[in-house]
Amino acid sequence: MGLLLERDAELEAVDELLVDSRMGSGRLLLVEGHAGIGKSALLHAAVARAPASGAAVLQARGSELESDFAFGVALQLFEALLTAADDDEHDRLLAGMARLAGPLLERPTSWAGDEGDDRSYSVIHGLFWLLSNLSETGPVLIVVDDAHWADRASLRLLLYVLHRVETMRVGIVLARRLGEPGAPDDLLGQIAAHPCSRALRPVALSRAATREFVSAVLLATDVAFADACWRMTEGNGFLLGELVRAVEAEGWQPTAANAARIGTLAPEAVLLAVAVRLMRLSDDAAGVARAVAILGEDAELRHVAALTGRDAERVAAAADALAAGEILRPPERGVLRFAHPLLASAVYADVAAGERAALHRRAAVILHGEDVAAVRVAAHLLPSAGSGEDWVVDALRAAADRARANGAPESAASYLRRALDEPPSAAARAGVLRELALCEISTGLSAAIERLEQSLSAAVSGRDRAHTLLVLGRARSCNAEHAAALADFERAAAIDDADPDVAVQAADEAMALGLLSPASRERVLRAGASWLHHTAATGDDRGRLATQCLREALTGDSREAVIALAERALDGGEPLPDQGGGSVLANLSMALHACDELERNDRLLSAAMARARGRGSMLAFATASLLRGASRWGQGRLDEAMADAEQAVDAERYGWQQFLPAAYGTLVSLHVDRGEIETATRCAQRLDLAAHRGSALLAPWHAALGRLALVTRREADALEHFAAWRDTVTAIRNPASFAAWRSATAHALTMLGRVDEARELAQQELALARGFGAPRAISVALRELAFADAHGDLDGPIVLLAEAVEIASASEARLEHCRALLDLGTVLRRAGRRTDAGRALGEALELARACGAQQLQARASSELEVAGPRVQRAARRGADALSPSERRVVALAIEGLSNRQIGEALFVTRKAVEWHLGNAYRKLDVRSRGELARALGAPDKPVMKRP
């Protein structure tokens, strides 16, 4: 019954997909419809047509029982591909970032992921690049049937590919059943709504097509009989086929006289045709069919025998009978499968609920006794009833650990909820609740916090309470509940029998958060070293050193002392310890930034972002993006800083809150420096301050709004923002640590004519800045003191600004160097020293161009025109014409990355990299990578490909 009727439009769409994917313009076809409408037949047709287009085919099918098995569908797609590959092909497929998928594909039943990897991103990233490597040798067709039963991790992989497929030689065909209870409709909806997706909804067969089908199968031409079949099935292909089989089984002739009898075979009876066929077989066959339905896809014969209580010979004979009746497929290598998923559903549904739960429990016991992978055992425990057995809770927790390691927190959560229903012992309950909360953090912080509070109430030991308080504090901190988080950390650190490592981490978190909170900062600073060392140090105390770095940077005693601490924390160049979303990296980065160690900070954060990509940790990636954006802003890399800040702000939709005000503040300030005042104003309206009051991380936000008010000549508003800035950084002495409110306030006061007040504040900040020794902060204070003094004799301001230029020029703070040059040139012009003014302003203009600081560039051009020389405004140069994406690609090409490495770093395909580079070559009028640096005004350096 392989007829494919009335599907010309759908087949044409399949042919177009194959052509487009062969040309490198991949798309996705989503075949949607209710059960039996003919979705699978269309997929079979796509597979049959693929060889003619030269496409390699990867096939998979979702399974109802294994929908919680993380990457189950992905394994079907790729595991056989690697197994069949020879050594050279195997190495080629897993080259580059594709190696991240190697552990999953080569050890699917035992792989638990990299230690600490609790998200799917690393695996998805690796599988994407494996697919990209495969498509380099020819087009690829991915075919997934029953996507409504696919696991969420595999659907995320398909969505990830879909975001990039339009530049790949990859076509995707998915089939999903509409209206399926429990289907992952959120992910399938995103797939359906994607611009690269096209939905196909095959309709029921018409009366004419039904006549053709009945005539071909039953060798009859009686129109009345065929029409009766059409009315009874309403053109559903599967029901029509089952009805025709039932007619054959009853021995009816397809005549007009029997047309009326079709009505006695109601649709329910057709759906129960499988049960009828089972009744005609032996009791063994019925038992085996039920066992295979319970065990699910790839039911092994020995497991079926154990579940039914029959010996292997009887099970094999029954399986042969079921295959002859087209209920099972012929057994292959001791594995039994249904001929069609709907047959499995029909048999499974026919098992009474109580018997079904008992059979699943027996299946779990059987698999657990063979030390089968925990996820397979857990799949049977989920529908079974609880009985309070410790091994069940242990198996479910093990499955949850595996699911989290494989990047499927939803699956892990389902196992842990079932563990709570067992229920766990009193000693285990707190741990189960805590682990469940860690899974739920990815979908909602509020629910996770509530779950952690339940875990805290259930804790029966100090160790459990301390561990839960540490996790609870981190969750509350991410949710911007700073006061409650600080209390949690302090309680955890004070528990006598807490795990030493947990106590140390809690003390570190308390110190860091306490330093950032105005309400607790003075108390934490007074506690000082006694707080830092009140618990025994662990073997790796770099986290403790990073926290101490932040404290010393805020107190502002010595830049050299902070750098020395940072070097100890970075001893050996190894990554900082991963403390599960803690603040170690942020502490050290903020300290390095205060010391103007911008390039070192950039390297630290770039490495952290790479690790976050590999782990799939979006929140860690966002934090590192923000911190690197701030560092690159200071270096004068405004376009790159903007890209980083936008990535950080984008993470708000994932629940990232703690550093959000700083992210928005950085973004507003960058828009101001780029001369995008209207955009900055719109951006300033996007942050809801209600959830962030009481945090020092509001300092960049108030600083940015004050700067925006100054450039729009709202000096009174600027003073209000700077006063709010001052209030958030009480007890922070070091202006280099986001506490330069005095110089900002002095600027506004000078603009309002309150020069004496401005001069006093600028002098205070200059003394504090000199005491710490960071060049950027000293230069800023010198500039503002000069601005306040520039209303009479200009000799004093010129001396101050010349020192500011000298100090900034020797530092990594290129943007501050540009500001100092511009201010010096302006005062020199006013003093009548036109030659010196032109030299300073010309240098400021070129530096502003190189930084992308359009606001400073406009000021410098205006000052040069006023100075007298005929300075024509620079036309838009080649480098200015580059888009942000092109600039990022060019920057990595200059660093020596290959096209593949650039694509992996930026999450784009090799074809997209080639396209961006081609555009950049044209705009810069260059022909090779070796000319890129010179075209952008950067120092020449040899372009070497990285290994």
Side-chain angles (χ1 to χ4, degrees):
M1 300 185 185
L3 295 177
L4 198 61
L5 303 173
E6 295 186 331
R7 297 294 184 257
D8 293 343
E10 289 83 357
L11 293 174
E12 182 179 353
V14 168
D15 290 336
E16 291 175 356
L17 175 78
L18 291 170
V19 171
D20 288 346
S21 61
R22 187 173 67 246
M23 300 300 293
S25 300
R27 290 184 293 104
L28 180 145
L29 292 179
L30 181 60
V31 185
E32 299 176 307
H34 293 287
I37 202 65
K39 304 181 294 298
S40 296
L42 280 173
L43 267 60
H44 293 324
V47 171
R49 281 166 148 75
S53 68
V57 179
L58 305 179
Q59 296 186 74
R61 181 190 292 275
S63 165
E64 185 174 16
L65 180 60
E66 295 182 5
S67 60
D68 284 320
F69 194 130
F71 293 108
V73 166
L75 280 169
Q76 292 182 53
L77 290 174
F78 294 106
E79 187 179 9
L81 174 71
L82 283 184
T83 301
D86 59 30
D87 290 345
D88 290 341
E89 179 67 0
H90 182 280
D91 291 344
R92 186 187 73 79
L93 290 173
L94 289 180
M97 294 300 288
R99 66 183 180 276
L100 293 172
L104 170 68
L105 295 174
E106 295 174 338
R107 298 189 298 277
T109 61
S110 62
W111 182 69
D114 295 333
E115 186 175 351
D117 179 6
D118 59 357
R119 293 181 182 272
S120 63
Y121 201 89
S122 175
V123 179
I124 288 174
H125 193 49
L127 291 173
F128 167 77
W129 284 106
L130 189 157
L131 176 62
S132 180
N133 292 343
L134 177 63
S135 67
E136 289 178 0
T137 59
V140 179
L141 178 67
I142 294 176
V143 178
V144 179
D145 204 355
D146 291 335
H148 49 276
W149 287 333
D151 60 281
R152 296 181 66 86
S154 294
L155 288 178
R156 285 200 184 90
L157 166 65
L158 293 173
L159 188 60
Y160 187 93
V161 173
L162 184 57
H163 288 323
R164 297 151 178 83
V165 77
E166 62 183 346
T167 60
M168 301 176 70
R169 291 194 292 177
V170 175
I172 308 173
V173 184
L174 265 63
R176 65 175 293 199
R177 184 187 302 173
L178 296 175
E180 181 67 20
D185 289 331
D186 54 337
L187 295 176
L188 290 169
Q190 292 180 54
I191 290 173
H194 196 279
C196 290
S197 291
R198 176 184 174 185
L200 299 180
R201 291 196 172 183
V203 298
L205 296 178
S206 67
R207 186 190 300 262
T210 302
R211 290 173 180 172
E212 184 178 352
F213 180 88
V214 173
S215 177
V217 176
L218 297 179
L219 303 178
T221 57
D222 189 278
V223 172
F225 187 90
D227 287 351
C229 293
W230 177 76
R231 285 191 299 271
M232 288 303 302
T233 63
E234 297 182 340
N236 182 287
F238 176 77
L239 295 181
L240 180 61
E242 288 299 304
L243 180 61
V244 171
R245 286 191 180 94
V247 168
E248 287 183 311
E250 292 292 336
W252 294 357
Q253 294 299 314
T255 62
N258 282 328
R261 298 177 65 190
I262 292 293
T264 64
L265 295 174
E268 291 81 2
V270 176
L271 289 173
L272 292 175
V274 175
V276 172
R277 277 184 271 166
L278 282 174
M279 290 173 62
R280 292 173 178 169
L281 298 174
S282 65
D283 289 342
D284 283 351
V288 167
R290 285 195 297 272
V292 174
I294 292 293
L295 289 167
E297 282 288 324
D298 301 332
E300 297 186 39
L301 190 146
R302 72 178 190 278
H303 295 154
V304 173
L307 188 58
T308 60
R310 295 169 171 88
D311 60 43
E313 290 77 10
R314 289 174 62 185
V315 170
D320 289 338
L322 289 165
E326 297 184 358
I327 296 174
L328 295 185
R329 297 179 187 177
E332 295 180 8
R333 300 178 182 178
V335 174
L336 305 181
R337 299 185 182 91
F338 278 93
H340 191 286
L342 284 176
L343 302 181
S345 297
V347 173
Y348 188 80
D350 193 49
V351 181
E355 183 184 3
R356 187 186 308 158
L359 286 171
H360 276 300
R361 186 72 170 210
R362 285 185 60 191
V365 172
I366 292 166
L367 296 176
H368 179 68
E370 292 193 6
D371 199 24
V372 171
V375 289
R376 289 190 61 193
V377 176
H380 293 286
L381 291 172
L382 285 176
S384 69
S387 60
E389 295 184 68
D390 290 343
W391 76 265
V392 173
V393 175
D394 292 342
L396 289 163
R397 292 178 76 176
D401 285 343
R402 183 73 53 83
R404 287 183 59 210
N406 288 359
E410 295 97 338
S411 297
S414 68
Y415 298 138
L416 292 166
R417 293 188 188 101
R418 171 61 184 81
L420 288 175
D421 291 337
E422 185 59 16
S425 66
R429 182 173 177 80
V432 173
L433 287 166
R434 183 172 61 247
E435 292 158 16
L436 179 54
L438 287 171
C439 297
E440 293 173 336
I441 281 176
S442 63
T443 56
L445 274 173
S446 296
I449 289 171
E450 182 178 349
R451 189 77 70 179
L452 287 166
E453 289 170 341
Q454 295 171 4
S455 173
L456 190 61
S457 298
V460 296
S461 70
R463 293 173 69 90
D464 255 342
R465 282 194 296 274
H467 195 174
T468 299
L469 283 167
L470 175 62
V471 178
L472 178 58
R474 286 172 174 163
R476 283 176 168 158
S477 182
C478 287
N479 205 39
E481 300 176 33
H482 300 135
L486 180 59
D488 290 335
F489 293 140
E490 291 177 343
R491 288 172 62 194
I495 293 176
D496 292 335
D497 57 340
D499 182 279
D501 184 57
V502 168
V504 167
Q505 291 184 43
D508 289 345
E509 296 284 6
M511 168 64 80
L513 189 57
L515 290 172
L516 296 177
S517 174
S520 57
R521 186 177 299 122
E522 290 190 20
R523 173 172 62 86
V524 174
L525 286 173
R526 283 196 304 270
S530 63
W531 189 317
L532 284 167
H533 297 288
H534 84 284
T535 58
T538 59
D540 186 350
D541 64 348
R542 288 177 298 160
R544 176 60 47 90
L545 289 169
T547 306
Q548 191 172 352
C549 273
L550 177 61
R551 177 184 180 276
E552 297 299 325
L554 297 181
T555 56
D557 291 332
S558 168
R559 173 175 179 259
E560 288 72 20
V562 175
I563 292 175
L565 279 171
E567 288 173 347
R568 287 174 58 194
L570 292 170
D571 184 33
E574 294 296 323
L576 287 171
D578 180 3
Q579 295 186 332
S583 56
V584 173
L585 174 71
N587 294 346
L588 187 58
S589 176
M590 286 187 284
L592 288 172
H593 188 86
C595 295
D596 291 337
E597 292 289 308
L598 303 180
E599 291 184 8
R600 181 184 298 188
N601 200 22
D602 192 287
R603 292 193 299 271
L604 171 72
L605 295 165
S606 295
M609 290 171 70
R611 292 196 301 274
R613 284 193 195 101
R615 299 195 315 268
S617 177
M618 177 57 68
L619 302 185
F621 184 81
T623 297
S625 292
L626 166 63
L627 296 169
R628 191 178 73 169
S631 181
R632 291 186 169 181
W633 179 24
Q635 293 177 75
R637 301 160 65 177
L638 266 62
D639 289 344
E640 297 168 81
M642 178 69 74
D644 282 344
E646 286 174 342
Q647 283 181 147
V649 167
D650 186 58
E652 181 180 6
R653 57 195 173 107
Y654 295 98
W656 187 73
Q657 289 285 327
Q658 183 178 10
F659 291 89
L660 196 60
Y664 273 108
T666 301
L667 201 56
V668 169
S669 290
L670 284 164
H671 281 305
V672 170
D673 281 341
R674 286 158 55 103
E676 300 160 350
I677 306 305
E678 291 184 4
T679 305
T681 301
R682 289 195 299 270
C683 183
Q685 298 168 354
R686 290 166 56 187
L687 178 67
D688 178 11
L689 284 181
H692 301 283
R693 300 195 183 280
S695 170
L697 297 173
L698 282 170
W701 170 252
H702 288 302
L705 265 61
R707 290 189 63 211
L708 179 60
L710 286 179
V711 298
T712 53
R713 299 310 303 265
R714 294 180 290 112
E715 291 84 359
D717 290 343
L719 283 177
E720 289 184 8
H721 285 296
F722 294 148
W725 180 6
R726 175 200 63 209
D727 294 340
T728 67
V729 295
T730 54
I732 297 180
R733 295 166 45 203
N734 185 8
S737 291
F738 50 83
W741 61 270
R742 295 175 181 83
S743 57
T745 305
H747 193 98
L749 290 172
T750 300
M751 294 178 68
L752 290 170
R754 297 161 61 180
V755 177
D756 291 341
E757 298 172 69
R759 184 181 296 111
E760 182 179 356
L761 283 175
Q763 288 171 341
Q764 290 175 9
E765 182 156 310
L766 180 57
L768 291 169
R770 289 192 191 277
F772 183 68
R776 178 167 41 93
I778 296 173
S779 177
V780 169
L782 286 167
R783 285 194 299 105
E784 295 307 334
L785 183 56
F787 184 56
D789 285 345
H791 293 78
D793 182 9
L794 297 179
D795 289 344
I798 290 173
V799 171
L800 293 171
L801 290 169
E803 183 184 358
V805 169
E806 181 180 2
I807 289 174
S809 66
S811 75
E812 301 172 18
R814 284 206 309 165
L815 190 62
E816 174 56 29
H817 184 205
C818 180
R819 297 185 195 280
L821 281 168
L822 181 52
D823 287 356
L824 176 61
T826 300
V827 173
L828 287 170
R829 176 192 63 76
R830 290 174 54 198
R833 295 167 56 176
R834 293 183 175 272
T835 300
D836 292 337
R839 187 178 298 112
L841 291 171
E843 189 176 349
L845 178 61
E846 290 305 310
L847 193 52
R849 283 174 172 163
C851 291
Q854 288 92 335
Q855 185 201 37
L856 298 180
Q857 183 179 335
R859 277 186 55 201
S861 296
S862 177
E863 287 291 340
L864 281 168
E865 289 177 354
V866 173
R870 299 182 59 184
V871 180
Q872 184 178 3
R873 292 181 179 271
R876 184 170 172 81
R877 305 194 319 174
D880 296 328
L882 295 180
S883 70
S885 296
E886 291 161 357
R887 185 175 289 277
R888 286 193 289 269
V889 169
V890 167
L892 293 176
I894 290 174
E895 290 183 14
L897 273 69
S898 67
N899 286 0
R900 177 200 291 274
Q901 291 168 327
I902 294 172
E904 291 175 348
L906 299 179
F907 303 96
V908 297
T909 64
R910 183 184 297 182
K911 182 176 180 181
V913 173
E914 292 170 353
W915 186 75
H916 285 313
L917 275 178
N919 286 343
Y921 287 170
R922 176 175 51 80
K923 292 177 180 180
L924 297 173
D925 193 24
V926 300
R927 296 184 179 181
S928 69
R929 292 172 179 244
E931 301 176 70
L932 287 173
R934 188 179 301 108
L936 290 175
D940 287 338
K941 61 180 180 180
V943 176
M944 299 177 63
K945 287 190 176 182
R946 293 184 178 182

